[in-house]
Amino acid sequence: MIAYYNNAFLEKKDIRISPDDRGFLFADGLYEVIRSYQGHLLRAKDHITRLNYGATHLKLSKTDFFEFEEIAYELLKQNNLTSTPATVYIQVTRGPAKRTHAFPDPVTDLTLYATAAAFDAASALKKQEQGISVITVPDTRWARCDMKTTGLTANILANQTAVENKASEAVFIRDGVMLEGTHSNFMAVFDDVLVTSPLTNYILGGITRKIVLELCKKENIKVEERPVFEKDILSASEMMIVGTTVEITPIVKMNHAVIRDGKPGPVVRTLQDAFKGFLAHEKRIYNR
Ligand code: PDD
């Protein structure tokens, strides 16, 4: 497997990252996951814009990473992934330095890393067709969830709790508000209105969330970006998670209770169809 590491394309097994790297010592870094549809990276610029946003807020020595789009396409090519479902993973850390909490002085070179891997689209599709089971968990994360940092301890623990409960995802609840999943955004439908948490420091501004809100406009589905309260959730007619790897996946069970009839509802189906059409359109534009 060929990976990208600090300006070079190398065999992944030959890459050596310093144990002094602040990514290793402090999780002092950022990441992105971009989906590739048969060689087309979906909304790569939006993902990298979010990386740049995180870099600005982490006060990294560099805050423009748009070169990763070309690197990502090169990784797909070098790993023969241009005609299959794939994902590209990008990570940037503050780099190797003597361990001090404050930033290294003088500034050290950032560590830049990226890989491409085949994506199991069939099992994602199965979940999208049948719907998934989720649990809810208290949100124990910090207050800057708008940055996609590699510090994912709370997300890992919550997702493991989901797995132990035979669920696919855990939805974080903070102060009675259902915010988002461990690796996805959360949406619910009340009286034909799609409701999802507004963009605040308590959630990640998902690229798929943004696409879904665009699709709602096209499909004349009303949207309200406002808090979804846990106390109201049982009156939702539908629920779903959205994200790069889950796309649009309906929730049919929450905390072991069946939602409605246990089948994906009409709004999620409309959005899944619209998403398919959107992907076909995107590919036509970019492959011209
Ligand atoms: N996670 N919220 C959180 C906490 C996430 O980690 C993610 C994505 C999302 C959805 O964002 P997007 O639509 O841009 O993928 C929301 C990636 C896929 C991951 O951690 O693997």
PDB file of all heavy atoms in Angstrom, residues 31 33 47 50 141 148 155 180-185 204-209 242-245, ligand 1:
ATOM      1  N   TYR A  31      -7.851  15.421  11.423  1.00  0.00           N
ATOM      2  CA  TYR A  31      -7.969  14.418  10.365  1.00  0.00           C
ATOM      3  C   TYR A  31      -9.195  14.690   9.512  1.00  0.00           C
ATOM      4  O   TYR A  31     -10.073  15.476   9.891  1.00  0.00           O
ATOM      5  CB  TYR A  31      -8.015  13.004  10.953  1.00  0.00           C
ATOM      6  CG  TYR A  31      -9.351  12.624  11.565  1.00  0.00           C
ATOM      7  CD1 TYR A  31     -10.222  11.771  10.899  1.00  0.00           C
ATOM      8  CD2 TYR A  31      -9.749  13.132  12.797  1.00  0.00           C
ATOM      9  CE1 TYR A  31     -11.445  11.415  11.456  1.00  0.00           C
ATOM     10  CE2 TYR A  31     -10.964  12.785  13.357  1.00  0.00           C
ATOM     11  CZ  TYR A  31     -11.814  11.921  12.676  1.00  0.00           C
ATOM     12  OH  TYR A  31     -13.022  11.593  13.227  1.00  0.00           O
ATOM     13  N   VAL A  33     -11.792  12.336   6.587  1.00  0.00           N
ATOM     14  CA  VAL A  33     -12.092  11.132   5.810  1.00  0.00           C
ATOM     15  C   VAL A  33     -12.935  11.575   4.627  1.00  0.00           C
ATOM     16  O   VAL A  33     -13.995  12.185   4.815  1.00  0.00           O
ATOM     17  CB  VAL A  33     -12.871  10.089   6.645  1.00  0.00           C
ATOM     18  CG1 VAL A  33     -13.137   8.834   5.810  1.00  0.00           C
ATOM     19  CG2 VAL A  33     -12.118   9.733   7.920  1.00  0.00           C
ATOM     20  N   HIS A  47     -14.044  19.230   2.520  1.00  0.00           N
ATOM     21  CA  HIS A  47     -13.315  18.521   3.583  1.00  0.00           C
ATOM     22  C   HIS A  47     -12.025  19.268   3.928  1.00  0.00           C
ATOM     23  O   HIS A  47     -11.686  19.431   5.105  1.00  0.00           O
ATOM     24  CB  HIS A  47     -12.985  17.095   3.146  1.00  0.00           C
ATOM     25  CG  HIS A  47     -14.147  16.149   3.255  1.00  0.00           C
ATOM     26  ND1 HIS A  47     -14.479  15.512   4.423  1.00  0.00           N
ATOM     27  CD2 HIS A  47     -15.067  15.759   2.342  1.00  0.00           C
ATOM     28  CE1 HIS A  47     -15.542  14.758   4.237  1.00  0.00           C
ATOM     29  NE2 HIS A  47     -15.926  14.885   2.972  1.00  0.00           N
ATOM     30  N   ARG A  50     -12.570  22.378   5.860  1.00  0.00           N
ATOM     31  CA  ARG A  50     -12.784  22.083   7.287  1.00  0.00           C
ATOM     32  C   ARG A  50     -11.450  21.790   7.982  1.00  0.00           C
ATOM     33  O   ARG A  50     -11.243  22.184   9.131  1.00  0.00           O
ATOM     34  CB  ARG A  50     -13.747  20.897   7.428  1.00  0.00           C
ATOM     35  CG  ARG A  50     -14.116  20.574   8.861  1.00  0.00           C
ATOM     36  CD  ARG A  50     -15.258  19.605   8.938  1.00  0.00           C
ATOM     37  NE  ARG A  50     -14.900  18.294   8.429  1.00  0.00           N
ATOM     38  CZ  ARG A  50     -15.765  17.302   8.190  1.00  0.00           C
ATOM     39  NH1 ARG A  50     -17.061  17.496   8.404  1.00  0.00           N
ATOM     40  NH2 ARG A  50     -15.367  16.145   7.734  1.00  0.00           N
ATOM     41  N   ARG A 141     -17.644  14.558  25.596  1.00  0.00           N
ATOM     42  CA  ARG A 141     -16.573  15.193  24.813  1.00  0.00           C
ATOM     43  C   ARG A 141     -16.312  16.618  25.305  1.00  0.00           C
ATOM     44  O   ARG A 141     -17.068  17.186  26.070  1.00  0.00           O
ATOM     45  CB  ARG A 141     -16.967  15.231  23.336  1.00  0.00           C
ATOM     46  CG  ARG A 141     -17.141  13.847  22.730  1.00  0.00           C
ATOM     47  CD  ARG A 141     -17.653  13.942  21.314  1.00  0.00           C
ATOM     48  NE  ARG A 141     -18.910  14.671  21.234  1.00  0.00           N
ATOM     49  CZ  ARG A 141     -19.452  15.110  20.112  1.00  0.00           C
ATOM     50  NH1 ARG A 141     -18.826  14.914  18.967  1.00  0.00           N
ATOM     51  NH2 ARG A 141     -20.611  15.740  20.127  1.00  0.00           N
ATOM     52  N   LYS A 148     -12.192  18.798  13.798  1.00  0.00           N
ATOM     53  CA  LYS A 148     -12.082  17.342  13.629  1.00  0.00           C
ATOM     54  C   LYS A 148     -10.705  16.892  14.120  1.00  0.00           C
ATOM     55  O   LYS A 148      -9.811  16.574  13.333  1.00  0.00           O
ATOM     56  CB  LYS A 148     -12.313  16.979  12.160  1.00  0.00           C
ATOM     57  CG  LYS A 148     -12.732  15.543  11.947  1.00  0.00           C
ATOM     58  CD  LYS A 148     -13.395  15.376  10.598  1.00  0.00           C
ATOM     59  CE  LYS A 148     -13.648  13.938  10.221  1.00  0.00           C
ATOM     60  NZ  LYS A 148     -14.523  13.219  11.129  1.00  0.00           N
ATOM     61  N   ASN A 155     -15.485   9.469  21.700  1.00  0.00           N
ATOM     62  CA  ASN A 155     -16.165   8.842  20.559  1.00  0.00           C
ATOM     63  C   ASN A 155     -15.891   7.332  20.534  1.00  0.00           C
ATOM     64  O   ASN A 155     -16.780   6.528  20.252  1.00  0.00           O
ATOM     65  CB  ASN A 155     -15.676   9.456  19.244  1.00  0.00           C
ATOM     66  CG  ASN A 155     -15.804  10.959  19.219  1.00  0.00           C
ATOM     67  OD1 ASN A 155     -15.283  11.640  20.105  1.00  0.00           O
ATOM     68  ND2 ASN A 155     -16.491  11.504  18.231  1.00  0.00           N
ATOM     69  N   GLU A 180     -25.220  14.556  17.962  1.00  0.00           N
ATOM     70  CA  GLU A 180     -24.702  13.860  16.784  1.00  0.00           C
ATOM     71  C   GLU A 180     -24.188  12.499  17.204  1.00  0.00           C
ATOM     72  O   GLU A 180     -24.146  12.181  18.398  1.00  0.00           O
ATOM     73  CB  GLU A 180     -23.574  14.666  16.120  1.00  0.00           C
ATOM     74  CG  GLU A 180     -22.348  14.846  16.988  1.00  0.00           C
ATOM     75  CD  GLU A 180     -21.183  15.548  16.265  1.00  0.00           C
ATOM     76  OE1 GLU A 180     -21.124  15.541  15.030  1.00  0.00           O
ATOM     77  OE2 GLU A 180     -20.320  16.090  16.982  1.00  0.00           O
ATOM     78  N   GLY A 181     -23.802  11.698  16.215  1.00  0.00           N
ATOM     79  CA  GLY A 181     -23.251  10.384  16.499  1.00  0.00           C
ATOM     80  C   GLY A 181     -21.758  10.468  16.751  1.00  0.00           C
ATOM     81  O   GLY A 181     -21.162  11.555  16.711  1.00  0.00           O
ATOM     82  N   THR A 182     -21.123   9.296  16.987  1.00  0.00           N
ATOM     83  CA  THR A 182     -19.685   9.283  17.244  1.00  0.00           C
ATOM     84  C   THR A 182     -18.891   9.539  15.972  1.00  0.00           C
ATOM     85  O   THR A 182     -17.750   9.962  16.020  1.00  0.00           O
ATOM     86  CB  THR A 182     -19.216   7.921  17.822  1.00  0.00           C
ATOM     87  OG1 THR A 182     -19.392   6.898  16.827  1.00  0.00           O
ATOM     88  CG2 THR A 182     -19.989   7.549  19.072  1.00  0.00           C
ATOM     89  N   HIS A 183     -19.510   9.240  14.818  1.00  0.00           N
ATOM     90  CA  HIS A 183     -18.848   9.512  13.535  1.00  0.00           C
ATOM     91  C   HIS A 183     -19.869   9.885  12.471  1.00  0.00           C
ATOM     92  O   HIS A 183     -19.700   9.593  11.291  1.00  0.00           O
ATOM     93  CB  HIS A 183     -17.982   8.318  13.105  1.00  0.00           C
ATOM     94  CG  HIS A 183     -18.755   7.043  12.875  1.00  0.00           C
ATOM     95  ND1 HIS A 183     -19.307   6.331  13.903  1.00  0.00           N
ATOM     96  CD2 HIS A 183     -19.069   6.388  11.745  1.00  0.00           C
ATOM     97  CE1 HIS A 183     -19.933   5.262  13.397  1.00  0.00           C
ATOM     98  NE2 HIS A 183     -19.800   5.289  12.082  1.00  0.00           N
ATOM     99  N   SER A 184     -20.952  10.533  12.906  1.00  0.00           N
ATOM    100  CA  SER A 184     -22.023  10.890  11.975  1.00  0.00           C
ATOM    101  C   SER A 184     -22.857  12.022  12.579  1.00  0.00           C
ATOM    102  O   SER A 184     -22.818  12.238  13.791  1.00  0.00           O
ATOM    103  CB  SER A 184     -22.927   9.669  11.747  1.00  0.00           C
ATOM    104  OG  SER A 184     -23.484   9.254  12.996  1.00  0.00           O
ATOM    105  N   ASN A 185     -23.605  12.718  11.744  1.00  0.00           N
ATOM    106  CA  ASN A 185     -24.568  13.698  12.253  1.00  0.00           C
ATOM    107  C   ASN A 185     -25.937  13.031  12.392  1.00  0.00           C
ATOM    108  O   ASN A 185     -26.221  12.021  11.754  1.00  0.00           O
ATOM    109  CB  ASN A 185     -24.645  14.924  11.332  1.00  0.00           C
ATOM    110  CG  ASN A 185     -23.413  15.801  11.426  1.00  0.00           C
ATOM    111  OD1 ASN A 185     -22.607  15.876  10.514  1.00  0.00           O
ATOM    112  ND2 ASN A 185     -23.233  16.462  12.571  1.00  0.00           N
ATOM    113  N   LEU A 204     -19.770  18.529  14.897  1.00  0.00           N
ATOM    114  CA  LEU A 204     -18.933  18.713  13.718  1.00  0.00           C
ATOM    115  C   LEU A 204     -19.835  19.151  12.562  1.00  0.00           C
ATOM    116  O   LEU A 204     -20.919  18.593  12.366  1.00  0.00           O
ATOM    117  CB  LEU A 204     -18.247  17.394  13.361  1.00  0.00           C
ATOM    118  CG  LEU A 204     -17.254  17.520  12.207  1.00  0.00           C
ATOM    119  CD1 LEU A 204     -15.966  18.182  12.697  1.00  0.00           C
ATOM    120  CD2 LEU A 204     -16.940  16.170  11.590  1.00  0.00           C
ATOM    121  N   GLY A 205     -19.389  20.154  11.847  1.00  0.00           N
ATOM    122  CA  GLY A 205     -20.129  20.597  10.654  1.00  0.00           C
ATOM    123  C   GLY A 205     -19.914  19.572   9.552  1.00  0.00           C
ATOM    124  O   GLY A 205     -18.968  19.663   8.778  1.00  0.00           O
ATOM    125  N   GLY A 206     -20.783  18.577   9.482  1.00  0.00           N
ATOM    126  CA  GLY A 206     -20.589  17.468   8.542  1.00  0.00           C
ATOM    127  C   GLY A 206     -20.774  17.915   7.095  1.00  0.00           C
ATOM    128  O   GLY A 206     -21.657  18.715   6.791  1.00  0.00           O
ATOM    129  N   ILE A 207     -19.953  17.361   6.224  1.00  0.00           N
ATOM    130  CA  ILE A 207     -20.080  17.654   4.797  1.00  0.00           C
ATOM    131  C   ILE A 207     -21.344  16.963   4.262  1.00  0.00           C
ATOM    132  O   ILE A 207     -22.080  17.535   3.450  1.00  0.00           O
ATOM    133  CB  ILE A 207     -18.824  17.172   4.008  1.00  0.00           C
ATOM    134  CG1 ILE A 207     -17.529  17.684   4.665  1.00  0.00           C
ATOM    135  CG2 ILE A 207     -18.919  17.576   2.549  1.00  0.00           C
ATOM    136  CD1 ILE A 207     -17.422  19.166   4.873  1.00  0.00           C
ATOM    137  N   THR A 208     -21.621  15.761   4.748  1.00  0.00           N
ATOM    138  CA  THR A 208     -22.830  15.054   4.319  1.00  0.00           C
ATOM    139  C   THR A 208     -24.074  15.773   4.841  1.00  0.00           C
ATOM    140  O   THR A 208     -25.084  15.875   4.132  1.00  0.00           O
ATOM    141  CB  THR A 208     -22.804  13.596   4.826  1.00  0.00           C
ATOM    142  OG1 THR A 208     -21.476  13.096   4.690  1.00  0.00           O
ATOM    143  CG2 THR A 208     -23.767  12.727   4.045  1.00  0.00           C
ATOM    144  N   ARG A 209     -23.998  16.284   6.055  1.00  0.00           N
ATOM    145  CA  ARG A 209     -25.099  17.078   6.621  1.00  0.00           C
ATOM    146  C   ARG A 209     -25.438  18.218   5.675  1.00  0.00           C
ATOM    147  O   ARG A 209     -26.604  18.476   5.369  1.00  0.00           O
ATOM    148  CB  ARG A 209     -24.671  17.624   7.997  1.00  0.00           C
ATOM    149  CG  ARG A 209     -25.654  18.561   8.675  1.00  0.00           C
ATOM    150  CD  ARG A 209     -25.013  19.182   9.925  1.00  0.00           C
ATOM    151  NE  ARG A 209     -25.921  20.079  10.615  1.00  0.00           N
ATOM    152  CZ  ARG A 209     -26.156  21.343  10.252  1.00  0.00           C
ATOM    153  NH1 ARG A 209     -25.571  21.846   9.172  1.00  0.00           N
ATOM    154  NH2 ARG A 209     -26.991  22.092  10.948  1.00  0.00           N
ATOM    155  N   VAL A 242     -26.201  10.682   9.209  1.00  0.00           N
ATOM    156  CA  VAL A 242     -25.610  10.998   7.903  1.00  0.00           C
ATOM    157  C   VAL A 242     -24.116  11.250   8.095  1.00  0.00           C
ATOM    158  O   VAL A 242     -23.693  11.791   9.117  1.00  0.00           O
ATOM    159  CB  VAL A 242     -26.302  12.217   7.231  1.00  0.00           C
ATOM    160  CG1 VAL A 242     -27.807  12.002   7.117  1.00  0.00           C
ATOM    161  CG2 VAL A 242     -26.012  13.520   7.958  1.00  0.00           C
ATOM    162  N   GLY A 243     -23.335  10.835   7.121  1.00  0.00           N
ATOM    163  CA  GLY A 243     -21.884  11.031   7.224  1.00  0.00           C
ATOM    164  C   GLY A 243     -21.179  10.428   6.012  1.00  0.00           C
ATOM    165  O   GLY A 243     -21.804   9.717   5.219  1.00  0.00           O
ATOM    166  N   THR A 244     -19.895  10.695   5.911  1.00  0.00           N
ATOM    167  CA  THR A 244     -19.096  10.237   4.774  1.00  0.00           C
ATOM    168  C   THR A 244     -19.163   8.725   4.590  1.00  0.00           C
ATOM    169  O   THR A 244     -19.276   8.239   3.473  1.00  0.00           O
ATOM    170  CB  THR A 244     -17.638  10.690   4.990  1.00  0.00           C
ATOM    171  OG1 THR A 244     -17.626  12.113   4.915  1.00  0.00           O
ATOM    172  CG2 THR A 244     -16.698  10.124   3.946  1.00  0.00           C
ATOM    173  N   THR A 245     -19.078   7.980   5.682  1.00  0.00           N
ATOM    174  CA  THR A 245     -19.043   6.517   5.563  1.00  0.00           C
ATOM    175  C   THR A 245     -20.442   5.899   5.656  1.00  0.00           C
ATOM    176  O   THR A 245     -20.671   4.839   5.083  1.00  0.00           O
ATOM    177  CB  THR A 245     -18.139   5.910   6.658  1.00  0.00           C
ATOM    178  OG1 THR A 245     -18.507   6.497   7.911  1.00  0.00           O
ATOM    179  CG2 THR A 245     -16.676   6.198   6.374  1.00  0.00           C
TER     180      THR A 245
HETATM  181  N1  PDD B   1     -16.550  11.106  10.863  1.00  0.00           N
HETATM  182  N2  PDD B   1     -19.811  14.030  13.401  1.00  0.00           N
HETATM  183  C1  PDD B   1     -18.686  13.406  13.794  1.00  0.00           C
HETATM  184  C2  PDD B   1     -18.319  13.427  15.241  1.00  0.00           C
HETATM  185  C3  PDD B   1     -17.873  12.755  12.845  1.00  0.00           C
HETATM  186  O1  PDD B   1     -16.731  12.161  13.254  1.00  0.00           O
HETATM  187  C4  PDD B   1     -18.269  12.737  11.479  1.00  0.00           C
HETATM  188  C5  PDD B   1     -17.448  12.069  10.415  1.00  0.00           C
HETATM  189  C6  PDD B   1     -19.466  13.383  11.124  1.00  0.00           C
HETATM  190  C7  PDD B   1     -19.949  13.441   9.704  1.00  0.00           C
HETATM  191  O2  PDD B   1     -19.189  14.339   8.951  1.00  0.00           O
HETATM  192  P1  PDD B   1     -18.963  14.150   7.389  1.00  0.00           P
HETATM  193  O3  PDD B   1     -20.298  14.108   6.739  1.00  0.00           O
HETATM  194  O4  PDD B   1     -18.201  15.329   6.980  1.00  0.00           O
HETATM  195  O5  PDD B   1     -18.233  12.851   7.232  1.00  0.00           O
HETATM  196  C8  PDD B   1     -20.189  14.042  12.114  1.00  0.00           C
HETATM  197  C9  PDD B   1     -15.639  10.402   9.972  1.00  0.00           C
HETATM  198  C10 PDD B   1     -16.282   9.750   8.811  1.00  0.00           C
HETATM  199  C11 PDD B   1     -14.803   9.445  10.816  1.00  0.00           C
HETATM  200  O6  PDD B   1     -14.478   9.835  11.925  1.00  0.00           O
HETATM  201  O7  PDD B   1     -14.464   8.355  10.357  1.00  0.00           O
END
